[in-house]
Amino acid sequence: MWHKIAAFIIKFRIALLISLLVSTAIMGYFASQVKLSYEFTSAVPTDNAKYIEYQNFRKQFGEDGNLMVVGVQTKDFFTPSFFNDYAVLAKQVAKIHAVENVLSIPGSITLTKDTATEKLKVSPIAGDPPFSNVDSIRQIFLNLPFYKGFLYNNAETPAYMMAVRIEKNVLNSASRAAVIDSILSLGNAFGQKHNTEMHYSGLPLIRTEMAVKVQSEMRLFLILSFVLTAVILVLFFRSFTAVLSSMLVVAIGVVWSMGTIVLLGYKITLLTALIPPLVVVIGIPNCVYLLNRYHYEYQKNPNKMKSLLRMVDRMGIVTFFTNLTAAIGFGVFFFTKSVLLKEFGLVAGINILGLFFISLIFIPAFFSFLPPPDVRHTSYLDTNWIDKLLTRITNWVFSHRVWIYGFTIIVCVFSVIGLTKLRNNAHIVDDLPKSDKVFMDLKFFEKNFKGVMPLEIMIDTRKKNGVLSLEILGKMDRLVDTLEKYPEIGRPLAITEGIKFANQAYFGGDTSNYEVPGDMLQAAFIMPYLRTNKGENNTMFNRLLHSFIDSNKQKARISVSMADVGSSVLPGLLDNIRPKVLQIFDTARYNVNFTDAPQFSTKPDSAKKTVDITFTGTSVTFLEGSKFIVNSLRDSLILAFLIIFGCMVVLFRSWRILIISIVVNIVPLLITAGLMGWMGIRIKPSTVLVFSVALGITIDVTIRFLVNFKQELARHDDSIADTVHRTIHDTGLSIIYTSLILIAGFSVFILSQFDGTKSLGYLTSMTLLLAMVTNLTLLPALLLWMDKVIEKKNNPAAFLMEEDDNDVINENQ
């Protein structure tokens, strides 16, 4: 079959090249339209219960992740020059396009009781700058507990915060970068003027910074992968045409990958940004395998066209299955329910398989028009140091098999122990390095304000106006006080805080009255002051009412800013809070139903009132997404194993080969996982991704070795031992060079600013290095171990059931 394909490619090479170039031009047109994704693509599938709860919350109360915060820490905050400039900064930020509102100390308000109208009058504590009465403003502000822990803290060197709310539609568009840059520019100018470090955080900033870094890194990695692989190819082939043809193959692959992203309606994300450099890294081994075989065949028989035919004939099936298994390693992500993984898996799988067709058409067609290789271009086939290395490896395999088995077993036992030390934990800003400004600023807000990550608690009383009952308000207030005692949780905000603010104003601003009314009599006095006429929607209390309770006053939210505690800590933290909620709501009188954790709910009793409690928000959905991705990657790894080794069965039709392949490829993955445990590298989406990717690539080396072994065993009436000896020398050179190219290519990702991408780089490189070693030592050693079994049958070829493909090969000798 492959001989006929080779003849077809050579015969119609001009038409095939034109078709390839035309299709590349079309894909290039689509690739020019590729766009960067600015949307926060959730890793959680849309039918997930927690995702549905979060979307229902957003429909009810709006966004919880559109708040950016600006922080400063100084003892000079209330000096006239600093305070006046800070007030100007707040007003300048408020004028930026897409900024909905700004909450800052100079722009904060106070409430006063107007007995004539029986209304609470809203008044700014400062007004418009410049201010000459900064000391009196300070006294008024510090007398308002409503802002404590939210806009300032009580540290020895106080920290102050400005909260900037940004329009949701802008956050999901390319213009958000300009909005964030404008805020940063104004803030940095203020900081430079007063020689004060400015701190910025919040999901809008984090998402924008990561998107910008993704775009810049994609270009860097693409350039570096091209340069690095070109240098290695020059050292290997010492031929400009070999390097040029290889670069053209992967360049076409890159264009196709970018065009595929657009054709499928996708955008560039943190994962899809890795595909172009991955195409370069994975596409080069195709060229190395094909060109190495071309030079090898030409050295044996100096006939260019016949050598090209034999190149496709011998390497077609190898290249096809190596690309197929690599495509499977990536493509299985498409079968997860995560949008991020689906996009990455589909685009990567399609284009890695596409590399096979590109290289199979382009390489033989391109070189058919060029002069045959000269001695200088094939001299690498007789490299002394490689020959000596392969001879030493062969001697080790034949003379020290017991040592190879023993060492492998010891290392595997060591790795299994390391596996027990693996921990699953991920953070929202996990991929950012600890020295990054965004990460350091996040820690600033966690230290001074306990964090900025959104957590929402929704309370549904199942009754119209149920939220405004004193009983429910009192319980919500107790819950807010309970939450505030946790070191990981910042100042909660709820309707109760607004009522306490109003109660303080009703009693003349006395801070001792910052409380929810304790009885119906007290509430009866204050309620007239809380009522608003129809159309009065611009008061502070009305906005608070709209933000923290629904229109039927049946549901209420408690908004919490918390630390980025990680996916391993957050579940325990929430599980610790739920029993306290049960105590507060008095299960003797209430049915408490936790919609997100039914196991904590009380047994329904029709004689009791019922409240539904839901923990949701970005922090909870991130936790669910992290767990889902890790589980999906685990399942996709198992699926990849099944599909890839199913392909091995189809290719070799031997259960012995299947067992050997599984052992040889599991060992590198096991060692990598064990080292992760010993080194304290956590299980998270970026590290679990390594195993499916590495499996799809490392199996290529095994296929390359075993296909050559199979072909040699069919062509020669030799023992398995002789065939193994010959196979090590025939395939060792290309295996070593392609492995080094892959290792060098993935090592490029170590330069990333994202820890997840770094992990993909060095863990995959380490796995590929281990795979190269096991395929050149353990694989032939296991084949020799099987030799005794085959000798008993007196039929070496029985080791591999030869079918029609080998008959074709023999016919073309």
Side-chain angles (χ1 to χ4, degrees):
M1 181 182 76
W2 289 101
H3 185 76
K4 293 179 180 178
I5 292 174
F8 177 83
I9 292 172
I10 296 299
K11 183 177 180 180
F12 298 101
R13 59 188 182 277
I14 295 177
L16 289 172
L17 274 177
I18 292 173
S19 300
L20 183 63
L21 293 175
V22 170
S23 59
T24 302
I26 294 171
M27 295 298 280
Y29 167 75
F30 288 107
S32 65
Q33 301 177 32
V34 71
K35 296 179 180 179
L36 189 67
S37 173
Y38 289 93
E39 297 180 6
F40 184 69
T41 307
S42 175
V44 187
T46 54
D47 59 353
N48 180 275
K50 285 185 169 55
Y51 179 84
I52 294 171
E53 288 172 352
Y54 179 56
Q55 295 307 313
N56 289 337
F57 168 83
R58 291 173 65 187
K59 289 178 183 177
Q60 193 77 60
F61 296 105
E63 285 291 317
D64 72 327
N66 61 340
L67 193 70
M68 178 178 170
V69 291
V70 181
V72 62
Q73 189 169 28
T74 177
K75 294 182 178 180
D76 301 326
F77 186 84
F78 286 102
T79 59
S81 62
F82 193 100
F83 189 81
N84 277 293
D85 286 345
Y86 190 83
V88 171
L89 171 64
K91 286 188 171 295
Q92 289 174 333
V93 170
K95 292 178 182 178
I96 295 174
H97 167 68
V99 171
E100 290 182 343
N101 56 68
V102 175
L103 182 57
S104 66
I105 293 177
S108 58
I109 54 96
T110 186
L111 300 176
T112 53
K113 181 172 69 172
D114 188 337
T115 54
T117 61
E118 290 192 337
K119 296 286 180 66
L120 291 176
K121 183 179 179 182
V122 179
S123 306
I125 65 167
D128 295 323
F131 311 111
S132 57
N133 58 336
V134 175
D135 285 340
S136 62
I137 293 172
R138 177 179 180 273
Q139 290 178 0
I140 294 171
F141 178 77
L142 295 180
N143 194 49
L144 299 174
F146 179 81
Y147 299 108
K148 183 180 178 181
F150 180 50
L151 292 184
Y152 73 101
N153 68 1
N154 275 339
E156 183 178 347
T157 302
Y160 303 90
M161 185 166 68
M162 180 188 301
V164 183
R165 192 170 297 278
I166 303 172
E167 291 178 9
K168 171 193 171 183
N169 293 336
V170 172
L171 288 178
N172 292 334
S173 69
S175 59
R176 79 172 180 192
V179 175
I180 299 297
D181 285 344
S182 298
I183 296 172
L184 295 178
S185 178
L186 290 172
N188 290 335
F190 172 83
Q192 290 176 1
K193 180 177 180 180
H194 291 276
N195 195 27
T196 301
E197 183 180 4
M198 303 297 291
H199 304 276
Y200 311 94
S201 195
L203 287 180
L205 174 76
I206 293 170
R207 287 164 53 190
T208 302
E209 289 292 315
M210 292 186 73
V212 171
K213 285 178 169 57
V214 165
Q215 191 175 34
S216 62
E217 284 194 354
M218 186 181 72
R219 298 193 192 100
L220 173 65
F221 292 154
L222 192 56
I223 294 171
L224 286 178
S225 60
F226 265 103
V227 172
L228 190 58
T229 51
V231 170
I232 295 174
L233 287 172
V234 168
L235 296 174
F236 184 31
F237 290 115
R238 303 170 191 174
S239 167
F240 172 75
T241 54
V243 175
L244 176 63
S245 62
S246 301
M247 291 296 101
L248 287 174
V249 166
V250 294
I252 293 171
V254 168
V255 172
W256 281 32
S257 67
M258 301 296 283
T260 305
I261 291 174
V262 176
L263 285 172
L264 293 174
Y266 301 155
K267 296 180 181 179
I268 295 293
T269 63
L270 181 61
L271 283 180
T272 53
L274 299 176
I275 292 175
L278 280 174
V279 165
V280 175
V281 173
I282 296 173
I284 288 297
N286 282 1
C287 304
V288 173
Y289 283 143
L290 291 170
L291 291 174
N292 176 238
R293 192 70 193 195
Y294 171 48
H295 293 156
Y296 174 78
E297 294 293 343
Y298 186 81
Q299 191 181 56
K300 284 173 55 180
N301 184 2
N303 183 311
K304 183 181 73 172
M305 300 308 289
K306 189 173 182 179
S307 297
L308 289 171
L309 284 169
R310 282 182 171 271
M311 173 189 74
V312 177
D313 188 14
R314 299 285 185 271
M315 297 307 299
I317 190 170
V318 176
T319 310
F320 173 71
F321 271 95
T322 54
N323 280 261
L324 178 62
T325 53
I328 290 170
F330 287 90
V332 288
F333 299 138
F334 177 73
F335 297 101
T336 67
K337 292 185 178 181
S338 168
V339 174
L340 284 173
L341 291 176
K342 273 181 175 290
E343 292 180 2
F344 176 70
L346 184 59
V347 175
I350 289 173
N351 286 281
I352 290 170
L353 199 56
L355 282 170
F356 162 73
F357 296 101
I358 295 170
S359 57
L360 193 71
I361 292 171
F362 187 84
I363 294 294
F366 181 77
F367 278 91
S368 69
F369 294 106
L370 298 178
D374 56 32
V375 177
R376 178 170 56 90
H377 297 153
T378 59
S379 61
Y380 70 90
L381 296 171
D382 301 315
T383 307
N384 288 331
W385 74 269
I386 287 287
D387 288 338
K388 290 179 180 178
L389 176 61
L390 294 176
T391 299
R392 182 166 295 183
I393 290 172
T394 304
N395 292 337
W396 253 93
V397 169
F398 278 80
S399 304
H400 302 89
R401 274 181 291 158
V402 175
W403 283 97
I404 293 174
Y405 302 147
F407 182 75
T408 302
I409 292 171
I410 292 171
V411 171
C412 287
V413 170
F414 183 80
S415 299
V416 170
I417 297 172
L419 273 174
T420 63
K421 299 178 181 293
L422 281 174
R423 297 292 178 267
N424 183 356
N425 190 27
H427 294 263
I428 293 179
V429 292
D430 225 358
D431 283 339
L432 291 174
K434 305 299 181 285
S435 59
D436 190 272
K437 169 72 172 170
V438 174
F439 182 86
M440 295 175 68
D441 281 353
L442 176 63
K443 294 305 171 185
F444 167 84
F445 286 102
E446 288 182 358
K447 178 182 177 181
N448 290 283
F449 298 97
K450 298 185 179 181
V452 294
M453 295 303 172
L455 171 67
E456 301 287 345
I457 303 173
M458 188 164 64
I459 300 172
D460 184 355
T461 63
R462 297 190 180 183
K463 182 181 178 181
K464 188 175 182 179
N465 295 319
V467 167
L468 296 184
S469 74
L470 283 182
E471 185 178 12
I472 292 294
L473 290 173
K475 293 183 183 302
M476 287 179 60
D477 190 40
R478 286 177 58 195
L479 179 55
V480 166
D481 291 340
T482 300
L483 292 171
E484 203 167 359
K485 293 175 182 177
Y486 284 86
E488 305 91 346
I489 294 179
R491 171 72 185 279
L493 285 179
I495 185 65
T496 53
E497 297 303 302
I499 292 174
K500 288 156 73 173
F501 195 0
N503 195 60
Q504 178 188 0
Y506 178 81
F507 288 101
D510 186 353
T511 56
S512 63
N513 290 298
Y514 185 76
E515 61 182 6
V516 173
D519 52 47
M520 292 299 296
L521 181 62
Q522 185 179 351
F525 282 109
I526 192 175
M527 284 307 293
Y529 289 84
L530 299 180
R531 294 194 186 100
T532 55
N533 297 324
K534 187 176 180 180
E536 290 182 339
N537 294 320
N538 59 342
T539 67
M540 183 279 299
F541 187 75
N542 271 349
R543 288 197 298 269
L544 191 68
L545 196 70
H546 179 74
S547 297
F548 288 93
I549 61 175
D550 70 334
S551 57
N552 290 327
K553 302 176 181 63
Q554 173 183 319
K555 301 175 183 178
R557 68 187 278 200
I558 299 176
S559 293
V560 175
S561 294
M562 63 178 299
D564 184 13
V565 295
S567 59
S568 64
V569 175
L570 185 57
L573 178 63
L574 298 182
D575 288 349
N576 185 268
I577 294 173
R578 289 186 180 100
K580 292 181 170 56
V581 174
L582 293 175
Q583 294 175 6
I584 291 171
F585 275 89
D586 186 8
T587 56
R589 299 186 57 202
Y590 280 89
N591 296 314
V592 181
N593 177 39
F594 291 100
T595 59
D596 60 312
Q599 68 272 23
F600 287 91
S601 301
T602 58
K603 188 176 180 180
D605 185 343
S606 59
K608 299 178 184 178
K609 300 177 183 178
T610 300
V611 290
D612 296 324
I613 310 291
T614 305
F615 287 80
T616 187
T618 301
S619 296
V620 173
T621 53
F622 168 78
L623 166 66
E624 189 69 12
S626 176
K627 286 165 50 182
F628 180 81
I629 287 182
V630 171
N631 292 336
S632 295
L633 289 171
R634 178 200 61 203
D635 295 341
S636 64
L637 178 60
I638 295 172
L639 181 60
F641 258 107
L642 295 175
I643 297 176
I644 288 173
F645 290 113
C647 292
M648 300 289 283
V649 171
V650 173
L651 179 60
F652 297 109
R653 303 175 188 180
S654 168
W655 64 267
R656 295 187 183 93
I657 282 292
L658 177 62
I659 293 173
I660 290 173
S661 302
I662 291 174
V663 171
V664 170
N665 285 277
I666 282 182
V667 167
L669 299 178
L670 181 62
I671 294 173
T672 300
L675 287 174
M676 286 173 58
W678 287 108
M679 295 168 63
I681 300 173
R682 293 173 283 116
I683 287 287
K684 53 184 179 179
S686 54
T687 53
V688 178
L689 180 68
V690 170
F691 296 101
S692 288
V693 172
L695 174 63
I697 298 173
T698 57
I699 196 71
D700 296 355
V701 181
T702 306
I703 292 175
R704 172 76 178 94
F705 189 99
L706 290 175
V707 166
N708 193 92
F709 174 78
K710 178 181 180 180
Q711 291 172 344
E712 291 296 319
L713 196 61
R715 280 199 297 267
H716 303 281
D717 189 18
D718 291 336
S719 66
I720 287 177
D722 291 336
T723 308
V724 167
H725 187 285
R726 191 162 46 249
T727 304
I728 292 175
H729 281 270
D730 287 349
T731 62
L733 179 66
S734 59
I735 286 175
I736 289 173
Y737 271 103
T738 52
S739 295
L740 291 177
I741 289 171
L742 287 167
I743 291 168
F746 276 97
S747 296
V748 167
F749 296 129
I750 297 175
L751 300 175
S752 173
Q753 300 178 69
F754 300 111
D755 285 347
T757 309
K758 284 183 180 179
S759 298
L760 179 67
Y762 68 77
L763 289 176
T764 305
S765 297
M766 181 172 62
T767 308
L768 294 173
L769 178 62
L770 292 168
M772 180 185 73
V773 173
T774 56
N775 277 282
L776 288 175
T777 56
L778 183 61
L779 175 56
L782 289 173
L783 290 173
L784 291 174
W785 177 63
M786 289 289 187
D787 193 13
K788 293 182 180 179
V789 178
I790 303 307
E791 284 180 355
K792 290 180 180 179
K793 296 182 179 182
N794 295 318
N795 183 11
F799 187 50
L800 296 163
M801 294 176 60
E802 304 302 330
E803 299 292 341
D804 293 340
D805 54 342
N806 282 327
D807 295 336
V808 173
I809 291 173
N810 291 327
E811 289 172 4
N812 295 313
Q813 298 304 308

